[in-house]
């Protein structure tokens, strides 16, 4: 039996602790997929411009090649976003389960013997809400923040 560390009291530290203990590799893979998809997506206007430029020249050589590049960028973007969704489908429930188990375990160890049924029901609902918030924060960090950073950089 492993000895688990104390649960952090600050919400952001708590969320980061749950991610570190549960799904750090999957969260990194999700962020990498979003970064790759965002980079490919940001290159699409350049490829479209090249298609238009080559079509407006008299010889029109290279238009087909740039059109294939444009289609490849779109397909690559879609594949990376689908990979993100596939990884998220496994990471979200695992993170939620880990968070709920840690919180309920802490509550059972620290709860007074006379905890009423109504109070325990409210605690379980609070644990469910907090675990969903942790999953939401992890998704926001791995998708929205990474996407914004890539867009700002490119």
């Amino acid at each position: 039996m492993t000895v688990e560390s104390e649960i952090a009291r600050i919400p952001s530290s708590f969320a980061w602790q749950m991610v570190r203990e549960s799904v750090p590799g999957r969260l990194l893979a999700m962020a990498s997929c979003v970064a790759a998809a965002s980079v490919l997506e940001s290159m699409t206007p350049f490829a479209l411009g090249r298609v238009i430029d080559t079509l407006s020249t008299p010889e029109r050589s290279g238009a087909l090649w740039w059109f294939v590049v444009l289609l490849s960028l779109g397909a690559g973007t879609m594949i990376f976003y689908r990979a993100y969704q596939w990884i998220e489908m496994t990471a979200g429930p695992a993170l939620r389960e880990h968070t709920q188990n840690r919180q309920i375990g802490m509550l059972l160890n620290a709860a007074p013997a006379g905890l009423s049924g109504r109070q325990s029901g409210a605690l379980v609902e609070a644990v469910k809400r907090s675990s969903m918030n942790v999953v939401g924060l992890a998704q926001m960090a791995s998708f929205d923040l990474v996407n914004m950073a890539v867009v700002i950089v490119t």
Side-chain angles (χ1 to χ4, degrees), residues 51-103:
V51 168
I52 293 170
D53 288 345
T54 55
L55 285 175
S56 63
T57 61
E59 62 270 354
R60 293 189 176 116
S61 63
L64 181 61
W65 188 85
W66 280 108
F67 186 71
V68 170
V69 168
L70 182 64
L71 289 177
S72 300
L73 288 172
T77 300
M78 182 188 67
I79 288 169
F80 279 116
Y81 280 137
R82 294 296 178 236
Y84 166 85
Q85 290 175 339
W86 181 77
I87 296 168
E88 194 276 326
M89 285 181 355
T90 61
L95 179 58
R96 188 171 52 250
E97 176 188 9
H98 176 74
T99 304
Q100 288 175 355
N101 287 342
R102 284 293 308 271
Q103 286 182 323

Side-chain angles (χ1 to χ4, degrees), residues 103-116:
Q103 286 182 323
I104 289 173
M106 185 204 62
L107 288 171
L108 288 176
N109 289 336
L115 192 64
S116 72

Side-chain angles (χ1 to χ4, degrees), residues 2 16 27 42 45 49 68 78 83 90 104 123:
T2 62
W16 179 240
L27 190 68
S42 68
V68 170
M78 182 188 67
T90 61
I104 289 173
L123 283 174

